[in-house]
Amino acid sequence: MIILYTFISEANHQPLLDRYLPVFSQESKQNILRYRRWQDAQLSLLGKVLLEYGLKTYYNISDIETDVLTNKKPYLKGNDLHFNISHSKNLVTCAIAEYSLGIDVEFNDQKISYQDFIFQMTDKELQEIQNSEDKMKQFFMYWTRKEAVIKAHGAGMILPLDSFEIINNECHIVGEKFFTKEIFIHKEYHSCIASSDQKIKEVMPIIKYIEEDILL
């Protein structure tokens, strides 16, 4: 598994658009340009760019075509590799593996209060957070695990966070078992990966920062 990440830059926004929009599909162009804020547009663009860069650099795959399943989860057409993209604040990351997975990153926003999200937690999860010495760190661990599992499952917003419980980095969703693993990408962000394949419990992913200049 490889995990690539980079940060958005306003100075590089137009050069990135000039470089990649002409080679992206019409659908990808529309998805990127529909955003009003340059930050959102660039996060979307860089997710696709990191995917292409990762496939070409680490798997020698140049021509890729993506599509979405009926549950809206994206996949690579005609290829056994899997990928997932996540972004938060100024960071965007792309994970690529030989098995289905989900990745979630969350900015360590100290303005957030875990009490605002109590309605999305089970009683046991809430107790775990409240009993922790660092409640906000525990909250972000809870949040990234849940989001990574939802993305690995592919259910999206139709699966409430409090509808399943992760214990010892494992959980069940409608008879399917999922595993989670916390990873470190950047000190200002919390991050986690998840998969229905238990290989993820032991995996030591290659985590690489890609400077935007390399992508231009």
Side-chain angles (χ1 to χ4, degrees):
M1 176 191 293
I2 62 165
I3 297 174
L4 307 177
Y5 71 99
T6 192
F7 294 91
I8 60 174
S9 163
E10 186 172 9
N12 285 340
H13 187 59
Q14 192 58 50
L16 284 167
L17 292 178
D18 294 341
R19 166 70 176 83
Y20 288 102
L21 286 187
V23 299
F24 282 167
S25 68
Q26 188 61 33
E27 183 179 3
S28 292
K29 291 180 187 177
Q30 292 174 349
N31 288 337
I32 293 168
L33 295 176
R34 67 186 172 90
Y35 293 105
R36 294 184 177 181
R37 298 173 67 245
W38 73 264
Q39 294 93 331
D40 298 325
Q42 192 173 140
L43 287 169
S44 176
L45 181 148
L46 286 177
K48 296 176 174 60
V49 172
L50 287 178
L51 174 61
E52 291 193 355
Y53 179 88
L55 290 172
K56 183 176 181 179
T57 303
Y58 293 90
Y59 296 95
N60 197 30
I61 299 174
S62 296
D63 297 323
I64 65 168
E65 186 177 358
T66 61
D67 205 345
V68 293
L69 302 171
T70 54
N71 59 11
K72 304 300 182 182
K73 184 175 182 180
Y75 73 99
L76 293 173
K77 295 182 70 173
N79 198 292
D80 293 332
L81 289 173
H82 300 262
F83 75 95
N84 199 232
I85 295 168
S86 180
H87 51 75
S88 179
K89 189 68 173 179
N90 296 324
L91 182 147
V92 56
T93 183
C94 175
I96 305 173
E98 293 76 20
Y99 41 83
S100 182
L101 78 161
I103 183 170
D104 187 61
V105 294
E106 297 292 339
F107 174 65
N108 185 18
D109 190 346
Q110 294 302 306
K111 297 178 182 178
I112 290 178
S113 171
Y114 76 89
Q115 294 178 341
D116 294 336
F117 299 88
I118 288 176
F119 69 97
Q120 293 180 314
M121 305 176 190
T122 65
D123 291 340
K124 187 171 182 179
E125 289 165 345
L126 178 58
Q127 183 179 9
E128 184 181 58
I129 292 172
Q130 291 177 330
N131 291 342
S132 174
E133 291 185 6
D134 189 335
K135 293 179 176 57
M136 286 310 300
K137 180 179 180 180
Q138 190 65 34
F139 165 73
F140 279 114
M141 288 171 59
Y142 148 81
W143 191 268
T144 55
R145 283 194 306 236
K146 286 296 188 82
E147 290 289 343
V149 166
I150 287 176
K151 296 177 74 176
H153 181 273
M157 296 299 291
I158 66 172
L159 186 65
L161 290 177
D162 63 351
S163 66
F164 63 99
E165 195 170 65
I166 300 173
I167 300 175
N168 296 324
N169 287 312
E170 298 181 4
C171 69
H172 288 84
I173 300 176
V174 195
E176 189 174 6
K177 193 171 185 177
F178 289 87
F179 307 88
T180 65
K181 182 182 180 71
E182 292 169 44
I183 56 173
F184 176 82
I185 293 179
H186 189 274
K187 64 181 180 180
E188 295 182 358
Y189 294 80
H190 298 268
S191 47
C192 184
I193 50 178
S195 178
S196 58
D197 193 319
Q198 61 181 344
K199 292 190 187 78
I200 205 165
K201 296 171 61 177
E202 309 298 332
V203 70
M204 297 294 291
I206 298 172
I207 302 177
K208 186 172 179 59
Y209 167 59
I210 307 298
E211 295 184 19
E212 274 200 338
D213 290 347
I214 295 176
L215 302 175
L216 288 173

